[in-house]
Amino acid sequence: MPMSDYMDRNHLLLSVKLLESYIQLLMCLATIRLWLIEYEEKEAQRRDLSESTLESRLDTISKRSTEIHRITHESDENCINELCMDRNAFARLCELLETRGGLLNDGLVTIEEQVAIFLNILAHHKKQMYSSALMHLQEILFVNPTPVANDCIDNRWKWFQGCLGAIDGTYIEVNVHDSDKPRYRTRKGNIAMNVLGVYNRDMNFVYVLAGWEGSATDSRVLRDAITRHNGLKIPIGNYYLADGGYINGEDFLAPYRGIRYHLREWECSTRARTNKEEYFNMKHSQARNVIERCFDLLKRRWAILRSPSFYPIRIQGRIVMARALLHNFIRTHMDLDPEENTSSTFEDMPIEEEQPNHFQIVDVVESSNEWTQWRDDLAQEMFESWMSTRS
């Protein structure tokens, strides 16, 4: 083969290879270009979505702020309907939670919004919760009871000198794991926790112990309350009124068991006029029933108490505590409690038989001959005084 032909063939092969390489490069560049176009389109979509989401969030925040302003600033009626307290009480609670409870403005949700959301959850049983700040206010919001004075002239209380108030137990329905249900099942078959409440004569909470299983007796819960390090403190010489579900022991004055009556029927009964036990139970009931309505007010005020909660049992106990603290706050900072039914007549209520301090305190719940004799003597003195006025 002539040399010139050989060179022409090599040159042709080289040209073909170069052309193939160029075509591959063009194809690679086209692929990169397509990828860049696709990436730019996706980024544009992300930006649009982000802007849309931000606009949506800003719109939500704006609507939330507008609604909370409507609730907390326009009228007391709106505030009470949504948050169970008037505007003045709400403003004071916000200030207290910020200055003493450690509640912070996180830049997205204001103090007012956090408190309003929390109160609305409790009032209408929504599924969010802010309660930690409120727990820090127990020493401020739980009241220190004042004993009935020796010169008390209130006909309902004058016989119970030294009395600090009353104790009462109630059941709050809860949600628990199936394995725990037997322990939380009450005698009536409901799944609930047993809650102990202690009140003063003004229907404010002194102490609350929540979380005990529904199967626990009232006396067992009370024993736990007074033996805890941070539990119920009762000065020696003072006592609380208790219903028939508790032991008549130091320092809890219970009625005589097995005696039921209706006040108006009692007054018309000839037999009862020689019965100091029935008269004592009647006076005991008149005093106790006035303040044992605390749990009734609590359940009427906060819907989250009227049906099982969504939260773990530990949180459910804290919810009960938070509501008791708010109950005290409302009654302290509002001239009129919107939930209190002042038309009730307690005298007509029957007795239902139910199965840092430096002073000395009671730390056991035991019946004693001395305490039983003191109740008998008090009942006799009450009865004789009443008989002398009848004569």
Side-chain angles (χ1 to χ4, degrees):
M1 177 183 296
M3 181 62 66
S4 59
D5 292 343
Y6 180 78
M7 293 180 61
D8 289 341
R9 183 180 178 188
N10 287 340
H11 181 74
L12 180 61
L13 291 174
L14 180 62
S15 298
V16 170
K17 288 182 179 181
L18 289 174
L19 182 60
E20 288 177 350
S21 299
Y22 181 70
I23 292 173
Q24 290 177 358
L25 178 61
L26 289 178
M27 291 178 65
C28 183
L29 291 174
T31 301
I32 293 174
R33 178 56 182 164
L34 290 174
W35 181 84
L36 288 173
I37 292 173
E38 183 179 356
Y39 175 79
E40 289 175 355
E41 289 178 349
K42 288 183 178 179
E43 282 298 302
Q45 290 176 357
R46 287 195 188 96
R47 286 194 298 270
D48 292 341
L49 181 60
S50 178
E51 291 174 0
S52 175
T53 303
L54 179 60
E55 290 178 1
S56 177
R57 289 181 61 190
L58 291 175
D59 184 55
T60 299
I61 293 172
S62 176
K63 288 180 178 178
R64 183 185 66 207
S65 299
T66 301
E67 177 63 12
I68 290 178
H69 185 275
R70 180 191 69 80
I71 292 171
T72 60
H73 289 81
E74 289 187 2
S75 70
D76 284 337
E77 182 180 2
N78 288 346
C79 204
I80 291 172
N81 288 341
E82 296 295 336
L83 310 181
C84 297
M85 62 180 67
D86 62 22
R87 291 174 292 176
N88 182 57
F90 175 77
R92 292 184 180 182
L93 179 61
C94 290
E95 180 183 4
L96 190 62
L97 288 171
E98 182 177 13
T99 58
R100 302 294 295 274
L103 192 61
L104 300 175
N105 187 335
D106 63 4
L108 294 176
V109 186
T110 66
I111 297 292
E112 280 194 354
E113 290 171 349
Q114 292 179 62
V115 177
I117 291 169
F118 172 64
L119 293 176
N120 188 256
I121 291 166
L122 294 181
H124 304 288
H125 203 170
K126 302 294 180 62
K127 199 176 179 181
Q128 255 182 317
M129 186 56 56
Y130 306 90
S131 62
S132 296
L134 197 60
M135 293 297 101
H136 296 158
L137 304 181
Q138 293 183 45
E139 292 185 1
I140 299 173
L141 296 181
F142 277 145
V143 300
N144 292 317
T146 302
V148 176
N150 293 339
D151 58 353
C152 177
I153 59 174
D154 185 334
N155 189 54
R156 182 177 286 116
W157 287 101
K158 66 182 183 180
W159 290 107
F160 302 105
Q161 297 164 9
C163 179
L164 298 172
I167 65 172
D168 190 21
T170 192
Y171 291 116
I172 304 294
E173 291 188 348
V174 294
N175 282 317
V176 296
H177 293 298
D178 290 343
S179 59
D180 293 327
K181 286 184 177 179
R183 294 189 295 117
Y184 284 89
R185 183 168 287 110
T186 68
R187 288 176 297 176
K188 295 184 177 180
N190 298 320
I191 305 301
M193 73 167 65
N194 192 340
V195 179
L196 171 68
V198 183
Y199 334 94
N200 69 357
R201 288 177 289 148
D202 296 322
M203 295 175 61
N204 289 317
F205 283 95
V206 175
Y207 178 82
V208 172
L209 177 59
W212 267 90
E213 300 92 334
S215 60
T217 64
D218 290 342
S219 293
R220 184 182 179 189
V221 178
L222 176 59
R223 185 175 294 107
D224 178 38
I226 66 174
T227 55
R228 289 186 173 216
H229 174 69
N230 60 342
L232 176 63
K233 309 302 181 185
I234 308 172
I236 296 293
N238 297 125
Y239 61 93
Y240 286 97
L241 302 183
D243 64 31
Y246 296 94
I247 295 173
N248 180 57
E250 302 198 23
D251 261 88
F252 301 96
L253 184 60
Y256 291 95
R257 290 186 174 180
I259 298 176
R260 299 167 61 92
Y261 71 92
H262 190 283
L263 177 61
R264 289 175 180 171
E265 294 175 357
W266 189 91
E267 289 180 333
C268 298
S269 170
T270 303
R271 174 187 61 80
R273 298 186 183 187
T274 60
N275 191 324
K276 73 177 189 297
E277 290 82 9
E278 286 192 1
Y279 186 76
F280 174 85
N281 277 16
M282 182 266 292
K283 299 300 291 184
H284 186 283
S285 177
Q286 286 180 337
R288 194 182 75 244
N289 281 333
V290 172
I291 52 181
E292 284 189 349
R293 293 189 304 140
C294 280
F295 274 131
D296 292 334
L297 289 177
L298 210 62
K299 291 179 180 180
R300 287 209 306 267
R301 194 190 315 278
W302 309 114
I304 198 170
L305 268 177
R306 299 195 292 266
S307 60
S309 175
F310 307 102
Y311 303 97
I313 191 67
R314 181 180 63 84
I315 301 299
Q316 294 181 57
R318 290 170 64 90
I319 293 172
V320 175
M321 179 80 73
R323 282 174 296 216
L325 294 171
L326 288 171
H327 168 93
N328 284 7
F329 180 86
I330 289 171
R331 293 184 62 80
T332 302
H333 291 86
M334 291 182 64
D335 295 331
L336 179 65
D337 186 340
E339 292 295 336
E340 186 173 354
N341 181 9
T342 57
S343 64
S344 298
T345 55
F346 305 107
E347 288 80 358
D348 293 341
M349 290 184 176
I351 287 182
E352 295 295 337
E353 184 182 2
E354 300 178 4
Q355 306 297 331
N357 296 307
H358 301 287
F359 42 68
Q360 285 186 302
I361 61 171
V362 177
D363 59 0
V364 292
V365 185
E366 294 180 352
S367 181
S368 67
N369 293 333
E370 292 81 2
W371 189 256
T372 300
Q373 185 61 51
W374 178 75
R375 182 179 66 174
D376 290 342
D377 293 342
L378 178 59
Q380 186 65 38
E381 185 180 358
M382 286 181 178
F383 185 70
E384 289 177 355
S385 176
W386 177 76
M387 287 294 292
S388 66
T389 60
R390 302 287 290 182
S391 300

